[in-house]
Amino acid sequence: MSNVSSPTDASNRTFVQPAGFYLVGLTNLKNSEYLLVFLFLVYVITLLGNFTLIAVVYLHRQLHTPRYMTVFNLAVVDILHSTVLIPKTLQAFLFDFNYIGFNACFTQCFFAHYAGSVVSYAIVLMAYDRFVAICFPLLYPSINTNSRMFIIIASCWILLIIPLLYMVLSALKVSFCASVEIPYFYCGFGSLFRLGCGDTTEQLRMAQILTTGVLHCPLMFIALTYVAILVAVLKLDTAESRRKAISTCATHFILVLTVYVPKIVNYMMAQLSVTYSHDIRNITIVLSLTIPLMFNPVIYCLKTEEVRTLIFRSFKKRISPM
């Protein structure tokens, strides 16, 4: 294992930066090739499903609404997130090339956390859209216009760059003079900070603040919107109107469960210092970060009648001349 260290002086301190790192999260996992082949299939399905959803929303003008702008946004960031994580994981553990350069590691670190943050806020925007539609149905067309939703989505993409970029710049100030083996399947802030041989308390504290901003706060907002929606639904006159209102939220609720529950479980186990196999921990993290990205378009295609009808109609048009 070659390790080229390059000390740089800044503010009277010497920082040791290795030439690169080694991803060893799945190295000792028995029969890991089965997991990796499964991960490859997950990636293919994720790309096919999300590109299909993007095409359906883009090609059908009746879907050019604020609600489906949020769906389109989620599909785009799902593709970005899975592409940042899965190809490098397959290269590292399926083709035995687990070395990643220093700059490449921090680039993956930035985009992995950035895409995950955008996913979280994309789901928040979907909750916001359903909240306005059900609690303020008469004002919905004036509150949620296409242009306004586009500005909100673009703002999320742009503003989330700032804290993540700050985290990367902060991580570059860490001296890596101990190990260069990352015990996970991708470069993450937490794993990089723990490899530092100096005081990384400040960086870990900032990582916790970032976790609160992209996990706890969005979840709290979503929970509050669902409470407000439930109150509004109970006030509706007929059982049919209540059923329709609830059905419009069912897809999003399933989405919330698939995305947030695995993250919460992993986060709570880490906070409670629950001891369990390192391999099991890596497997659960791999699946919790990748499986929801595959399920998102499937959920919308199967649970949303409007999207399902348009997809079937498009396939019929292509098959009928044959």
Side-chain angles (χ1 to χ4, degrees):
M1 179 179 71
S2 61
N3 177 21
V4 180
S5 299
S6 57
T8 59
D9 190 13
S11 303
N12 297 324
R13 292 177 59 189
T14 299
F15 302 106
V16 179
Q17 296 181 349
F21 299 93
Y22 289 87
L23 302 170
V24 297
L26 303 177
T27 302
N28 298 320
L29 181 65
K30 292 182 179 180
N31 301 318
S32 61
E33 61 274 11
Y34 296 114
L35 173 64
L36 296 169
V37 170
F38 173 73
L39 204 57
F40 172 75
L41 294 176
V42 167
Y43 184 55
V44 171
I45 296 171
T46 300
L47 293 184
L48 289 175
N50 281 292
F51 274 122
T52 299
L53 195 55
I54 288 172
V56 170
V57 175
Y58 179 78
L59 294 174
H60 295 89
R61 294 189 64 84
Q62 61 265 47
L63 298 183
H64 293 183
T65 63
R67 178 186 180 186
Y68 286 103
M69 286 179 69
T70 63
V71 174
F72 187 96
N73 175 52
L74 181 63
V76 171
V77 72
D78 279 349
I79 292 172
L80 172 62
H81 199 188
S82 59
T83 300
V84 170
L85 294 175
I86 298 179
K88 181 58 186 175
T89 302
L90 295 177
Q91 180 192 35
F93 301 106
L94 192 60
F95 300 105
D96 295 325
F97 190 76
N98 64 336
Y99 176 81
I100 182 169
F102 185 84
N103 292 331
C105 183
F106 278 89
T107 300
Q108 186 193 45
C109 183
F110 171 80
F111 280 105
H113 288 281
Y114 175 66
S117 301
V118 178
V119 167
S120 189
Y121 276 87
I123 297 173
V124 166
L125 291 181
M126 296 169 115
Y128 161 75
D129 178 78
R130 292 299 83 205
F131 165 72
V132 177
I134 293 174
C135 296
F136 306 98
L138 298 179
L139 297 176
Y140 179 83
S142 60
I143 295 176
N144 259 10
T145 62
N146 283 353
S147 58
R148 190 167 296 171
M149 182 57 75
F150 176 80
I151 291 172
I152 295 173
I153 291 172
S155 298
C156 289
W157 280 78
I158 295 170
L159 293 176
L160 284 170
I161 293 176
I162 298 172
L164 271 302
L165 191 59
Y166 181 78
M167 287 292 293
V168 170
L169 295 176
S170 174
L172 290 173
K173 297 178 182 179
V174 175
S175 186
F176 300 96
C177 55
S179 174
V180 291
E181 292 187 347
I182 296 176
Y184 297 101
F185 67 99
Y186 78 104
C187 293
F189 283 129
S191 56
L192 284 171
F193 292 152
R194 290 183 180 89
L195 292 182
C197 55
D199 184 11
T200 59
T201 305
E202 180 184 349
Q203 285 82 4
L204 288 171
R205 187 180 298 115
M206 287 189 297
Q208 289 175 342
I209 293 172
L210 184 63
T211 300
T212 299
V214 300
L215 180 63
H216 302 152
C217 290
L219 262 178
M220 188 178 299
F221 177 85
I222 292 170
L224 290 174
T225 60
Y226 271 103
V227 170
I229 287 171
L230 181 62
V231 171
V233 168
L234 292 176
K235 291 181 180 179
L236 295 176
D237 297 331
T238 64
E240 179 63 20
S241 57
R242 288 194 290 270
R243 187 193 64 79
K244 287 182 179 180
I246 292 174
S247 65
T248 62
C249 296
T251 304
H252 181 264
F253 185 71
I254 296 172
L255 197 63
V256 170
L257 292 178
T258 58
V259 171
Y260 283 108
V261 169
K263 290 182 179 180
I264 293 171
V265 171
N266 284 326
Y267 178 79
M268 291 303 296
M269 292 183 76
Q271 292 300 308
L272 296 173
S273 300
V274 177
T275 56
Y276 57 104
S277 167
H278 187 72
D279 289 337
I280 293 177
R281 176 173 174 78
N282 267 291
I283 291 173
T284 56
I285 293 175
V286 168
L287 297 180
S288 67
L289 288 177
T290 57
I291 296 295
L293 306 178
M294 176 187 71
F295 276 138
N296 290 348
V298 175
I299 291 169
Y300 262 90
C301 291
L302 294 179
K303 293 291 293 181
T304 308
E305 184 178 355
E306 195 172 8
V307 174
R308 189 170 64 246
T309 302
L310 289 173
I311 291 176
F312 288 155
R313 189 183 302 168
S314 299
F315 277 114
K316 280 185 178 180
K317 284 183 179 179
R318 291 185 176 275
I319 296 173
S320 55
M322 300 173 61

